Every structure is written in C-alpha cells, then in structure tokens.
Amino acid sequence: MVAESDLNTGLLLFLPYRALENRIFARLAEAGFDDFTPAQARVMQRIGPNGTRLTELAEQAQITKQTAGFLVDQLEKAGYVVRVPDPTDKRARLVCLAEKAASAQRIAAAVVAEVEKEWEAHLGSRRMKQLREALTLLREITDPWAEPS
Amino acid sequence: MVAESDLNTGLLLFLPYRALENRIFARLAEAGFDDFTPAQARVMQRIGPNGTRLTELAEQAQITKQTAGFLVDQLEKAGYVVRVPDPTDKRARLVCLAEKAASAQRIAAAVVAEVEKEWEAHLGSRRMKQLREALTLLREITDPWAEPS
DNA sequence: TGACACTGGTCAGAGTCTCTGACTACTTTG
DNA sequence: CAAAGTAGTCAGAGACTCTGACCAGTGTCA
C-alpha cells in the first residue's frame, strides 16, 4: 500500500508554510530581532509601503480590529512601526513601518530567497515554476484581497 | 508593471490553506460541531486511527506537551476524544478519537473534497495534479515527520 | 541488580492573543 | 442637516501558550 500523497491538501499547504515561517523566525532571532512575536509579525507583514490602516490590517489578517490594535501597540512600543495621521480621513491613522522593521524585512526576504532556492533544488526549476503558478492562480479564488488580473 | 505573483511564497501557501480551513470550520459549525476551537482542531487532526500519544501530538503540532495536554483536556470534556492506557508503556496514554470526532471528520473530508473540486475547476486538472505533486515532494524537506519514500 | 539518565505526562503560574460589547469621533448619504 | 456608516479605542473575559518544577515508569550499563 503506497500511502504517497493521500494527505489532505490543506496539510500539504500548511507544512511548507510553517517550515518557511520557522526558518524566518529563527534567522531573525539570531540577528537580534527577538522582541516580537509571530502574531505581531503576521500583522507587520501586511503593512504596505505607504502605510496601512488598522482596519485594513485586521481584515486581511482575519482578526478583529481590537486585536489588531493590541498587536500594533506592541509593535509601536518595540519601535517597529509608527502611527501617522491619515491626511484623507481625520478618524484614521496609517500604520507605517519604521526603519527597524525595514531591516528585519530585508533579512526575512533573504531567508525566503534562500529557502526558495532549496525548494527549487529539490523540485527542479520546472516544477517550482509550476508550483508558484498554480498558487498564484489559486489566490484568485482563495484571497478576497487579490488584485484582479 | 505586472505585479503578478511577486508575492512571497509563504503567503501564497498560506492563503489557500486558510481559505480551506475557514470553509471546513464554517461547515462544521453549521452541522452543530461548534463546541471546539481551531487550536483544538489542529491537534485533533493529528490523532491517528490507533490513537496517538500526547507527546507525539505536541511534537507534530509544534506545541509544548503542556499545551497539548490542555487542548486534549478540552476535547475530552467535549466528548471528541478519549484517553486509554498505552499497553506498551505504563507511563503513557493513547489519545483516541471518539465517534463524535469521526462524524466531524467525515464532514471535514467532504468539504475538502468539495473545495479541491473547485480548485481543480479553476486550475484545470493538469495544474491541480502538478500542484499536489509539487507539495507532496516538498513535504520531504519541510516535514520532519514525512515517511521516507 | 542497581544507580542514573531519559521519557511520558501533569501541576502551577504567568504572559500573550483573541473575542464581544459598548463607546467616541469623523465621514458619507439622502 | 439628520441618519447611517466607518475608524478606532476602552474594558473585560476567555482561550492559548509558554517556562519551570515535578512524579512515575523505562532503558542502559557497569
């Protein structure tokens, strides 16, 4: 009985995701960025280059805005983000990445590149390309925030 | 500038995973299985047909055995699992799925099948096959518990 | 066999994450 | 302008997770 790949697709997606996240986290901690948590990172990851509103962060991370506010508070105390007034709406503030976060993001990007290279070595470049292609396509029907092509 | 797929692979994996998990959860709640949490479900998902030790569940879910014990306590109270003595080791107990959990798993499996069908309709069967193939291969280097082929 | 290291699991305590509900301030709509 | 809606906060509670300390049973090896 060959049990090959009768694993459900959800777990199949989750396993490499977790492996990648773990790698990033470990490297970041080595580099001294050990004063934020995974939950905070998942929010920080979604902040755009021009800043993003709290509510939007909450929606994309699928958490309540209260939770998002709580996490952004921590990130602000730790110096990873700043909140600036939104010029277009006096109720709102834009959460922006501080330089400290940009440094961390550069490291994270390097780890992603490294891991992707390992994956490509294991899969072969053709299969790796197919994987990214399929996932990108899948995003259209699984990510409510995907830009329409 | 075509921004297509410059999203990092981690997020690309995570998005469909989350979409699937959400669908399963929603359907389970509809069916009356609303007395367990995502964290509990992630542990329950890993219980094998012959029962699994707490320590092993903890390792695979990458949580401490204390946390795993806490979650299994909840699941036991809610009637989803039972703990039976491990005949091969007097220290250990095997966490086993109760009938209630088996019913829930059947529903979950149906939702997975349904979602996979949708994905296949969107990607085409060739690309869907390639996706599962790539992910299965990737498991070899991202899942410490992957059975060697 | 008997000491010793190891493993499966629990208890206690603390910190983090997340939610619901209620509220203020500002914006949009008719 | 009044009503409805949106951005964000405050307060309180429940859920998740961890570290550290511990007990009981197992494996090893002189």
Side-chain angles (χ1 to χ4, degrees):
Chain A
M1 184 180 105
V2 183
E4 162 200 313
S5 97
D6 58 358
L7 215 53
N8 95 54
T9 306
L11 209 43
L12 239 29
L13 289 160
F14 176 70
L15 261 10
Y17 164 72
R18 184 177 66 179
L20 175 57
E21 197 180 62
N22 286 347
R23 286 278 293 270
I24 295 172
F25 236 79
R27 184 72 61 82
L28 247 16
E30 275 173 28
F33 294 101
D34 55 358
D35 55 348
F36 65 90
T37 66
Q40 290 163 24
R42 281 191 280 269
V43 167
M44 186 159 47
Q45 187 185 10
R46 305 190 184 254
I47 299 173
N50 303 316
T52 304
R53 291 189 188 175
L54 191 61
T55 303
E56 198 179 338
L57 290 177
E59 281 174 359
Q60 293 195 19
Q62 296 189 8
I63 54 180
T64 60
K65 51 189 182 174
Q66 293 92 323
T67 300
F70 173 82
L71 294 170
V72 169
D73 282 348
Q74 319 291 316
L75 287 168
E76 195 167 26
K77 275 178 204 146
Y80 286 100
V81 307
V82 291
R83 290 197 241 219
V84 305
D86 183 334
T88 73
D89 189 332
K90 281 185 188 164
R91 291 168 305 179
R93 288 192 287 169
L94 292 170
V95 180
C96 297
L97 294 172
E99 175 49 32
K100 187 175 178 186
S103 310
Q105 279 196 336
R106 278 188 290 275
I107 294 176
V111 177
V112 170
E114 180 182 308
V115 170
E116 285 182 349
K117 191 167 264 179
E118 290 173 15
W119 289 2
E120 183 158 353
H122 187 70
L123 296 181
S125 63
R126 197 175 63 90
R127 256 197 286 255
M128 184 68 183
K129 189 164 160 293
Q130 290 171 351
L131 174 63
R132 281 193 61 91
E133 190 182 317
L135 289 173
T136 302
L137 231 41
L138 217 42
R139 196 183 160 210
E140 294 172 3
I141 57 169
T142 55
D143 179 13
W145 291 269
E147 327 85 60
S149 55
Chain B
M1 183 179 105
V2 184
E4 162 201 314
S5 97
D6 56 358
L7 215 54
N8 95 53
T9 306
L11 210 43
L12 240 28
L13 289 160
F14 176 70
L15 261 10
Y17 164 71
R18 185 178 62 179
L20 175 57
E21 197 179 61
N22 286 346
R23 287 276 294 269
I24 296 170
F25 237 77
R27 184 71 61 85
L28 246 17
E30 274 172 30
F33 295 102
D34 55 357
D35 54 348
F36 65 91
T37 65
Q40 290 164 24
R42 281 190 280 270
V43 167
M44 188 161 41
Q45 188 184 11
R46 304 190 184 256
I47 299 172
N50 304 317
T52 305
R53 291 186 188 178
L54 192 61
T55 303
E56 198 179 337
L57 289 177
E59 282 174 358
Q60 293 195 18
Q62 296 190 7
I63 54 179
T64 61
K65 51 188 182 173
Q66 292 92 322
T67 299
F70 173 82
L71 294 171
V72 169
D73 281 348
Q74 318 293 317
L75 287 168
E76 196 167 26
K77 274 176 206 148
Y80 287 100
V81 307
V82 291
R83 293 196 239 218
V84 304
D86 183 336
T88 72
D89 188 334
K90 283 185 189 165
R91 292 167 304 177
R93 286 190 289 168
L94 293 171
V95 180
C96 297
L97 293 172
E99 175 49 32
K100 187 176 177 185
S103 309
Q105 279 195 337
R106 277 189 290 274
I107 294 176
V111 177
V112 170
E114 179 183 309
V115 170
E116 285 181 349
K117 192 166 265 181
E118 290 172 16
W119 289 1
E120 182 157 354
H122 187 71
L123 294 181
S125 64
R126 199 175 60 90
R127 257 197 285 256
M128 184 69 184
K129 188 163 162 291
Q130 289 170 354
L131 174 64
R132 282 193 59 93
E133 189 181 317
L135 289 174
T136 301
L137 230 41
L138 216 43
R139 194 181 162 211
E140 293 172 3
I141 58 170
T142 55
D143 178 13
W145 290 269
E147 329 79 67
S149 57

